[in-house]
Amino acid sequence: MRRYIVAGNWKMNGTREGAKELLLGIQDRAEELTDVDWAVFPPSVFLEETERLLTGSNVAWGAQNVSDKPVGAFTGEISVSMLKEFGCEYVLVGHSERRNLYSEDDVIVAAKFVEASDAGLIPILCVGETLREREQDRTFEVVSRQVAAVLRLDNGVERLANAVVAYEPVWAIGTGITATPEQAQEVHQAIRSQISNYDANIAQNLQILYGGSVKPGNARAIFAMPDIDGGLIGGAALKAGDFIEIGKSCIS
């Protein structure tokens, strides 16, 4: 049986003191909620503090981005080996903001996925369509292409056995607009079906998260869908109380 994951992507938000307060608030409230896998993704400058505060807790942590190169003259980049030094378990790859604002295409995303996978990190592969693509009825085409970029890798489907997928419709991220539970389920089911064509067992056990304006008020209905295994939470992850309430929606 797949476990739920509730993961908080802080994006470029927070201060040193604010990050400490948020981490302690999440740690304290999540301590007894062991039926959910918790994870936070703070800005990289807060990873050392995150490791210090969360080590020994039931809250994992990861990075919002990683380089597709292992080492070298790549100013501003962060390697998988650096992330592992700070105890990261997860890393986001292919988030829509990386794809759309920083021109990361499927080839770059797949290379980052490999770097993370080979290093023993758990990549969370983010996929999703823009509003224009949905209006053009291209949702399944776009999401299928993004997933296929990993499936085409050497041992691609086997790598997904130690990975997570997050479906985030771009039109629902930070807009206050949320895909209906039925819309989200339809895409999650399509992703699972696509992967099942390669390996039915891996597809069945793969955790697929939904992201896009998830809040305490709508989380329960979204997480009740059979192919939705939790959420990649944005704005609501910046408030410990809201984040924990979203997590409780998985198990209540």
Short mmCIF file of all heavy atoms in Angstrom, two decimals, residues 150-205:
data_model
loop_
_atom_site.label_atom_id
_atom_site.label_comp_id
_atom_site.label_asym_id
_atom_site.label_seq_id
_atom_site.Cartn_x
_atom_site.Cartn_y
_atom_site.Cartn_z
N VAL A 150 12.01 10.54 -18.94
CA VAL A 150 12.68 9.70 -17.94
C VAL A 150 12.56 8.23 -18.32
O VAL A 150 13.52 7.46 -18.21
CB VAL A 150 12.09 9.95 -16.54
CG1 VAL A 150 12.53 8.88 -15.55
CG2 VAL A 150 12.51 11.33 -16.04
N LEU A 151 11.41 7.82 -18.81
CA LEU A 151 11.22 6.42 -19.19
C LEU A 151 12.19 5.99 -20.29
O LEU A 151 12.58 4.82 -20.36
CB LEU A 151 9.78 6.19 -19.65
CG LEU A 151 8.72 6.19 -18.54
CD1 LEU A 151 7.33 6.19 -19.15
CD2 LEU A 151 8.92 5.01 -17.61
N ARG A 152 12.60 6.93 -21.13
CA ARG A 152 13.52 6.60 -22.24
C ARG A 152 14.97 6.46 -21.78
O ARG A 152 15.83 6.01 -22.55
CB ARG A 152 13.44 7.67 -23.33
CG ARG A 152 12.17 7.62 -24.17
CD ARG A 152 12.33 8.45 -25.43
NE ARG A 152 12.62 9.84 -25.12
CZ ARG A 152 11.70 10.80 -25.02
NH1 ARG A 152 10.42 10.51 -25.19
NH2 ARG A 152 12.04 12.05 -24.74
N LEU A 153 15.27 6.85 -20.56
CA LEU A 153 16.64 6.73 -20.05
C LEU A 153 17.02 5.26 -19.92
O LEU A 153 16.16 4.38 -19.83
CB LEU A 153 16.74 7.38 -18.67
CG LEU A 153 16.51 8.89 -18.58
CD1 LEU A 153 16.35 9.29 -17.12
CD2 LEU A 153 17.66 9.65 -19.23
N ASP A 154 18.33 4.98 -19.87
CA ASP A 154 18.76 3.64 -19.52
C ASP A 154 18.21 3.30 -18.13
O ASP A 154 18.40 4.07 -17.17
CB ASP A 154 20.30 3.56 -19.50
CG ASP A 154 20.90 3.64 -20.90
OD1 ASP A 154 20.15 3.38 -21.87
OD2 ASP A 154 22.10 3.97 -21.01
N ASN A 155 17.54 2.17 -18.03
CA ASN A 155 16.93 1.75 -16.77
C ASN A 155 15.95 2.80 -16.25
O ASN A 155 15.77 2.94 -15.04
CB ASN A 155 18.00 1.47 -15.70
CG ASN A 155 18.99 0.42 -16.14
OD1 ASN A 155 18.61 -0.62 -16.67
ND2 ASN A 155 20.28 0.69 -15.94
N GLY A 156 15.30 3.50 -17.18
CA GLY A 156 14.42 4.59 -16.79
C GLY A 156 13.29 4.17 -15.87
O GLY A 156 13.07 4.78 -14.82
N VAL A 157 12.57 3.12 -16.23
CA VAL A 157 11.45 2.71 -15.39
C VAL A 157 11.94 2.17 -14.06
O VAL A 157 11.32 2.39 -13.00
CB VAL A 157 10.54 1.68 -16.11
CG1 VAL A 157 11.23 0.33 -16.28
CG2 VAL A 157 9.23 1.53 -15.37
N GLU A 158 13.09 1.49 -14.05
CA GLU A 158 13.66 1.00 -12.79
C GLU A 158 14.03 2.17 -11.88
O GLU A 158 13.89 2.09 -10.65
CB GLU A 158 14.88 0.13 -13.04
CG GLU A 158 14.59 -1.22 -13.66
CD GLU A 158 14.44 -1.19 -15.17
OE1 GLU A 158 14.53 -0.07 -15.76
OE2 GLU A 158 14.21 -2.25 -15.77
N ARG A 159 14.48 3.27 -12.46
CA ARG A 159 14.81 4.45 -11.65
C ARG A 159 13.56 5.01 -10.97
O ARG A 159 13.64 5.55 -9.86
CB ARG A 159 15.45 5.53 -12.53
CG ARG A 159 16.84 5.19 -13.04
CD ARG A 159 17.37 6.29 -13.95
NE ARG A 159 18.67 5.98 -14.53
CZ ARG A 159 19.82 6.17 -13.92
NH1 ARG A 159 19.83 6.69 -12.70
NH2 ARG A 159 20.96 5.88 -14.51
N LEU A 160 12.42 4.87 -11.62
CA LEU A 160 11.18 5.38 -11.03
C LEU A 160 10.75 4.59 -9.80
O LEU A 160 9.93 5.05 -9.02
CB LEU A 160 10.06 5.38 -12.07
CG LEU A 160 10.11 6.51 -13.10
CD1 LEU A 160 9.10 6.27 -14.20
CD2 LEU A 160 9.89 7.87 -12.44
N ALA A 161 11.33 3.40 -9.62
CA ALA A 161 11.03 2.62 -8.43
C ALA A 161 11.55 3.32 -7.17
O ALA A 161 11.07 3.05 -6.06
CB ALA A 161 11.64 1.22 -8.54
N ASN A 162 12.52 4.21 -7.34
CA ASN A 162 13.08 4.98 -6.22
C ASN A 162 12.94 6.48 -6.50
O ASN A 162 13.88 7.26 -6.31
CB ASN A 162 14.55 4.61 -6.01
CG ASN A 162 14.70 3.17 -5.55
OD1 ASN A 162 14.23 2.80 -4.49
ND2 ASN A 162 15.34 2.36 -6.38
N ALA A 163 11.76 6.84 -6.95
CA ALA A 163 11.48 8.24 -7.28
C ALA A 163 10.02 8.52 -6.96
O ALA A 163 9.25 7.64 -6.56
CB ALA A 163 11.77 8.51 -8.75
N VAL A 164 9.65 9.78 -7.11
CA VAL A 164 8.28 10.24 -6.91
C VAL A 164 7.95 11.11 -8.11
O VAL A 164 8.84 11.76 -8.68
CB VAL A 164 8.15 11.05 -5.60
CG1 VAL A 164 6.76 11.63 -5.43
CG2 VAL A 164 8.54 10.19 -4.39
N VAL A 165 6.69 11.12 -8.52
CA VAL A 165 6.23 12.04 -9.57
C VAL A 165 5.26 13.02 -8.93
O VAL A 165 4.47 12.65 -8.05
CB VAL A 165 5.55 11.28 -10.72
CG1 VAL A 165 4.93 12.26 -11.73
CG2 VAL A 165 6.56 10.38 -11.44
N ALA A 166 5.32 14.27 -9.36
CA ALA A 166 4.38 15.29 -8.88
C ALA A 166 3.71 15.93 -10.08
O ALA A 166 4.40 16.51 -10.94
CB ALA A 166 5.08 16.34 -8.04
N TYR A 167 2.40 15.80 -10.16
CA TYR A 167 1.65 16.48 -11.23
C TYR A 167 1.23 17.85 -10.71
O TYR A 167 0.50 17.97 -9.73
CB TYR A 167 0.41 15.68 -11.63
CG TYR A 167 -0.54 16.48 -12.50
CD1 TYR A 167 -0.10 17.03 -13.71
CD2 TYR A 167 -1.86 16.70 -12.11
CE1 TYR A 167 -0.96 17.78 -14.50
CE2 TYR A 167 -2.72 17.44 -12.90
CZ TYR A 167 -2.27 17.99 -14.10
OH TYR A 167 -3.12 18.74 -14.88
N GLU A 168 1.72 18.89 -11.39
CA GLU A 168 1.40 20.27 -11.03
C GLU A 168 0.95 21.03 -12.26
O GLU A 168 1.79 21.51 -13.03
CB GLU A 168 2.62 20.96 -10.42
CG GLU A 168 3.08 20.39 -9.10
CD GLU A 168 4.05 21.33 -8.41
OE1 GLU A 168 5.10 21.63 -9.00
OE2 GLU A 168 3.75 21.78 -7.31
N PRO A 169 -0.36 21.14 -12.47
CA PRO A 169 -0.81 21.97 -13.59
C PRO A 169 -0.34 23.40 -13.39
O PRO A 169 -0.62 23.99 -12.35
CB PRO A 169 -2.34 21.84 -13.52
CG PRO A 169 -2.64 21.38 -12.13
CD PRO A 169 -1.46 20.60 -11.68
N VAL A 170 0.38 23.92 -14.36
CA VAL A 170 1.01 25.23 -14.19
C VAL A 170 -0.02 26.31 -13.91
O VAL A 170 0.22 27.24 -13.12
CB VAL A 170 1.85 25.59 -15.44
CG1 VAL A 170 2.52 26.95 -15.27
CG2 VAL A 170 2.89 24.52 -15.71
N TRP A 171 -1.20 26.17 -14.49
CA TRP A 171 -2.26 27.16 -14.33
C TRP A 171 -2.83 27.19 -12.91
O TRP A 171 -3.57 28.10 -12.56
CB TRP A 171 -3.38 26.92 -15.34
CG TRP A 171 -3.82 25.49 -15.43
CD1 TRP A 171 -3.30 24.52 -16.22
CD2 TRP A 171 -4.87 24.86 -14.69
NE1 TRP A 171 -3.95 23.32 -16.03
CE2 TRP A 171 -4.92 23.51 -15.10
CE3 TRP A 171 -5.78 25.32 -13.73
CZ2 TRP A 171 -5.85 22.60 -14.58
CZ3 TRP A 171 -6.70 24.42 -13.21
CH2 TRP A 171 -6.72 23.08 -13.64
N ALA A 172 -2.49 26.19 -12.09
CA ALA A 172 -3.01 26.13 -10.73
C ALA A 172 -1.96 26.47 -9.68
O ALA A 172 -2.28 26.50 -8.49
CB ALA A 172 -3.57 24.73 -10.44
N ILE A 173 -0.73 26.74 -10.09
CA ILE A 173 0.35 26.99 -9.13
C ILE A 173 0.37 28.45 -8.72
O ILE A 173 0.62 29.33 -9.54
CB ILE A 173 1.72 26.58 -9.71
CG1 ILE A 173 1.73 25.09 -10.03
CG2 ILE A 173 2.84 26.93 -8.74
CD1 ILE A 173 2.99 24.64 -10.73
N GLY A 174 0.05 28.72 -7.46
CA GLY A 174 0.11 30.07 -6.94
C GLY A 174 -0.98 30.98 -7.44
O GLY A 174 -0.95 32.19 -7.19
N THR A 175 -1.98 30.42 -8.13
CA THR A 175 -3.04 31.25 -8.71
C THR A 175 -4.29 31.27 -7.86
O THR A 175 -5.17 32.10 -8.06
CB THR A 175 -3.42 30.73 -10.11
OG1 THR A 175 -3.96 29.41 -9.97
CG2 THR A 175 -2.21 30.71 -11.03
N GLY A 176 -4.38 30.33 -6.92
CA GLY A 176 -5.61 30.18 -6.16
C GLY A 176 -6.61 29.29 -6.86
O GLY A 176 -7.62 28.89 -6.28
N ILE A 177 -6.34 28.97 -8.12
CA ILE A 177 -7.19 28.05 -8.89
C ILE A 177 -6.66 26.64 -8.67
O ILE A 177 -5.46 26.41 -8.78
CB ILE A 177 -7.16 28.39 -10.39
CG1 ILE A 177 -7.61 29.83 -10.62
CG2 ILE A 177 -8.04 27.42 -11.18
CD1 ILE A 177 -7.38 30.31 -12.04
N THR A 178 -7.52 25.72 -8.37
CA THR A 178 -7.11 24.34 -8.14
C THR A 178 -7.82 23.45 -9.13
O THR A 178 -9.00 23.64 -9.42
CB THR A 178 -7.49 23.89 -6.71
OG1 THR A 178 -7.01 24.85 -5.78
CG2 THR A 178 -6.90 22.53 -6.39
N ALA A 179 -7.10 22.49 -9.68
CA ALA A 179 -7.77 21.47 -10.49
C ALA A 179 -8.80 20.77 -9.62
O ALA A 179 -8.58 20.57 -8.42
CB ALA A 179 -6.74 20.47 -11.01
N THR A 180 -9.92 20.41 -10.18
CA THR A 180 -10.89 19.65 -9.41
C THR A 180 -10.26 18.29 -9.08
O THR A 180 -9.36 17.82 -9.77
CB THR A 180 -12.18 19.42 -10.19
OG1 THR A 180 -11.92 18.57 -11.32
CG2 THR A 180 -12.78 20.74 -10.68
N PRO A 181 -10.73 17.66 -8.01
CA PRO A 181 -10.21 16.32 -7.71
C PRO A 181 -10.31 15.37 -8.90
O PRO A 181 -9.40 14.58 -9.14
CB PRO A 181 -11.08 15.87 -6.54
CG PRO A 181 -11.48 17.14 -5.85
CD PRO A 181 -11.67 18.12 -6.97
N GLU A 182 -11.39 15.50 -9.66
CA GLU A 182 -11.59 14.62 -10.81
C GLU A 182 -10.60 14.94 -11.92
O GLU A 182 -10.07 14.02 -12.58
CB GLU A 182 -13.03 14.74 -11.32
CG GLU A 182 -14.08 14.21 -10.37
CD GLU A 182 -14.36 15.15 -9.19
OE1 GLU A 182 -14.00 16.35 -9.26
OE2 GLU A 182 -14.92 14.67 -8.18
N GLN A 183 -10.31 16.22 -12.15
CA GLN A 183 -9.31 16.59 -13.16
C GLN A 183 -7.94 16.06 -12.78
O GLN A 183 -7.21 15.53 -13.62
CB GLN A 183 -9.26 18.11 -13.31
CG GLN A 183 -10.42 18.74 -14.04
CD GLN A 183 -10.35 20.26 -14.03
OE1 GLN A 183 -9.98 20.88 -13.02
NE2 GLN A 183 -10.70 20.88 -15.14
N ALA A 184 -7.57 16.23 -11.51
CA ALA A 184 -6.27 15.76 -11.04
C ALA A 184 -6.19 14.24 -11.14
O ALA A 184 -5.20 13.69 -11.62
CB ALA A 184 -6.02 16.22 -9.61
N GLN A 185 -7.23 13.55 -10.70
CA GLN A 185 -7.24 12.09 -10.75
C GLN A 185 -7.07 11.58 -12.17
O GLN A 185 -6.35 10.59 -12.42
CB GLN A 185 -8.54 11.56 -10.14
CG GLN A 185 -8.87 10.11 -10.45
CD GLN A 185 -7.83 9.12 -9.94
OE1 GLN A 185 -7.05 9.43 -9.04
NE2 GLN A 185 -7.82 7.92 -10.51
N GLU A 186 -7.71 12.23 -13.12
CA GLU A 186 -7.63 11.80 -14.51
C GLU A 186 -6.19 11.80 -15.01
O GLU A 186 -5.74 10.87 -15.68
CB GLU A 186 -8.49 12.73 -15.38
CG GLU A 186 -8.70 12.26 -16.80
CD GLU A 186 -9.62 13.17 -17.58
OE1 GLU A 186 -9.67 14.39 -17.29
OE2 GLU A 186 -10.29 12.66 -18.49
N VAL A 187 -5.43 12.84 -14.64
CA VAL A 187 -4.03 12.93 -15.08
C VAL A 187 -3.17 11.95 -14.30
O VAL A 187 -2.30 11.27 -14.87
CB VAL A 187 -3.50 14.37 -14.94
CG1 VAL A 187 -2.04 14.44 -15.38
CG2 VAL A 187 -4.35 15.33 -15.77
N HIS A 188 -3.39 11.83 -13.01
CA HIS A 188 -2.63 10.87 -12.20
C HIS A 188 -2.83 9.45 -12.72
O HIS A 188 -1.86 8.67 -12.83
CB HIS A 188 -3.07 10.95 -10.74
CG HIS A 188 -2.48 12.10 -9.98
ND1 HIS A 188 -1.74 11.94 -8.83
CD2 HIS A 188 -2.50 13.43 -10.22
CE1 HIS A 188 -1.33 13.12 -8.40
NE2 HIS A 188 -1.80 14.04 -9.22
N GLN A 189 -4.05 9.12 -13.05
CA GLN A 189 -4.34 7.79 -13.59
C GLN A 189 -3.62 7.57 -14.91
O GLN A 189 -3.08 6.49 -15.17
CB GLN A 189 -5.85 7.62 -13.77
CG GLN A 189 -6.27 6.23 -14.22
CD GLN A 189 -7.77 6.13 -14.35
OE1 GLN A 189 -8.43 6.99 -14.95
NE2 GLN A 189 -8.34 5.07 -13.79
N ALA A 190 -3.58 8.62 -15.76
CA ALA A 190 -2.89 8.51 -17.05
C ALA A 190 -1.39 8.30 -16.85
O ALA A 190 -0.76 7.52 -17.58
CB ALA A 190 -3.15 9.76 -17.88
N ILE A 191 -0.80 8.99 -15.88
CA ILE A 191 0.63 8.82 -15.60
C ILE A 191 0.90 7.39 -15.15
O ILE A 191 1.84 6.74 -15.63
CB ILE A 191 1.10 9.82 -14.52
CG1 ILE A 191 1.03 11.25 -15.04
CG2 ILE A 191 2.51 9.48 -14.04
CD1 ILE A 191 1.22 12.31 -13.97
N ARG A 192 0.08 6.89 -14.24
CA ARG A 192 0.28 5.53 -13.74
C ARG A 192 0.12 4.51 -14.86
O ARG A 192 0.86 3.52 -14.95
CB ARG A 192 -0.68 5.24 -12.59
CG ARG A 192 -0.16 4.16 -11.64
CD ARG A 192 -1.08 3.94 -10.45
NE ARG A 192 -1.25 5.08 -9.59
CZ ARG A 192 -0.36 5.49 -8.70
NH1 ARG A 192 0.79 4.86 -8.57
NH2 ARG A 192 -0.60 6.55 -7.94
N SER A 193 -0.85 4.76 -15.73
CA SER A 193 -1.08 3.85 -16.86
C SER A 193 0.09 3.86 -17.83
O SER A 193 0.51 2.81 -18.34
CB SER A 193 -2.37 4.26 -17.58
OG SER A 193 -2.60 3.45 -18.70
N GLN A 194 0.65 5.05 -18.09
CA GLN A 194 1.80 5.16 -18.99
C GLN A 194 2.98 4.36 -18.45
O GLN A 194 3.64 3.62 -19.20
CB GLN A 194 2.19 6.63 -19.15
CG GLN A 194 3.41 6.85 -20.05
CD GLN A 194 3.79 8.33 -20.13
OE1 GLN A 194 3.18 9.18 -19.46
NE2 GLN A 194 4.78 8.65 -20.94
N ILE A 195 3.26 4.48 -17.17
CA ILE A 195 4.39 3.77 -16.56
C ILE A 195 4.10 2.27 -16.49
O ILE A 195 5.00 1.44 -16.64
CB ILE A 195 4.69 4.37 -15.18
CG1 ILE A 195 5.15 5.83 -15.34
CG2 ILE A 195 5.77 3.56 -14.45
CD1 ILE A 195 5.19 6.61 -14.05
N SER A 196 2.83 1.91 -16.32
CA SER A 196 2.44 0.51 -16.26
C SER A 196 2.76 -0.23 -17.55
O SER A 196 3.00 -1.44 -17.54
CB SER A 196 0.95 0.40 -15.95
OG SER A 196 0.57 -0.95 -15.81
N ASN A 197 2.80 0.49 -18.66
CA ASN A 197 3.17 -0.14 -19.93
C ASN A 197 4.60 -0.65 -19.92
O ASN A 197 4.96 -1.52 -20.72
CB ASN A 197 2.98 0.86 -21.08
CG ASN A 197 1.53 1.18 -21.34
OD1 ASN A 197 0.65 0.35 -21.11
ND2 ASN A 197 1.26 2.40 -21.80
N TYR A 198 5.42 -0.11 -19.02
CA TYR A 198 6.81 -0.54 -18.88
C TYR A 198 6.97 -1.54 -17.74
O TYR A 198 7.71 -2.50 -17.86
CB TYR A 198 7.71 0.68 -18.62
CG TYR A 198 7.84 1.61 -19.80
CD1 TYR A 198 6.83 2.50 -20.12
CD2 TYR A 198 9.00 1.60 -20.59
CE1 TYR A 198 6.95 3.36 -21.21
CE2 TYR A 198 9.13 2.45 -21.68
CZ TYR A 198 8.09 3.34 -21.98
OH TYR A 198 8.21 4.18 -23.05
N ASP A 199 6.30 -1.26 -16.61
CA ASP A 199 6.40 -2.15 -15.46
C ASP A 199 5.18 -1.91 -14.56
O ASP A 199 5.10 -0.87 -13.90
CB ASP A 199 7.69 -1.91 -14.69
CG ASP A 199 7.95 -2.96 -13.63
OD1 ASP A 199 7.08 -3.14 -12.75
OD2 ASP A 199 9.03 -3.59 -13.66
N ALA A 200 4.27 -2.86 -14.54
CA ALA A 200 3.02 -2.67 -13.80
C ALA A 200 3.25 -2.57 -12.30
O ALA A 200 2.56 -1.80 -11.60
CB ALA A 200 2.07 -3.83 -14.11
N ASN A 201 4.21 -3.31 -11.78
CA ASN A 201 4.47 -3.29 -10.34
C ASN A 201 5.03 -1.95 -9.89
O ASN A 201 4.61 -1.39 -8.88
CB ASN A 201 5.43 -4.42 -9.96
CG ASN A 201 5.62 -4.52 -8.46
OD1 ASN A 201 4.67 -4.70 -7.71
ND2 ASN A 201 6.87 -4.37 -8.02
N ILE A 202 5.99 -1.42 -10.67
CA ILE A 202 6.55 -0.11 -10.34
C ILE A 202 5.47 0.96 -10.42
O ILE A 202 5.37 1.83 -9.55
CB ILE A 202 7.74 0.21 -11.25
CG1 ILE A 202 8.94 -0.68 -10.88
CG2 ILE A 202 8.12 1.69 -11.17
CD1 ILE A 202 10.13 -0.55 -11.81
N ALA A 203 4.64 0.88 -11.45
CA ALA A 203 3.57 1.86 -11.60
C ALA A 203 2.61 1.83 -10.42
O ALA A 203 2.19 2.87 -9.90
CB ALA A 203 2.81 1.61 -12.90
N GLN A 204 2.26 0.63 -9.98
CA GLN A 204 1.30 0.49 -8.89
C GLN A 204 1.85 1.04 -7.58
O GLN A 204 1.11 1.58 -6.76
CB GLN A 204 0.93 -0.99 -8.72
CG GLN A 204 -0.06 -1.26 -7.61
CD GLN A 204 -1.38 -0.53 -7.78
OE1 GLN A 204 -1.84 -0.31 -8.91
NE2 GLN A 204 -2.00 -0.13 -6.68
N ASN A 205 3.14 0.94 -7.37
CA ASN A 205 3.76 1.37 -6.12
C ASN A 205 4.29 2.80 -6.14
O ASN A 205 4.72 3.32 -5.11
CB ASN A 205 4.89 0.40 -5.74
CG ASN A 205 4.36 -0.94 -5.30
OD1 ASN A 205 3.71 -1.07 -4.26
ND2 ASN A 205 4.59 -1.97 -6.11
#
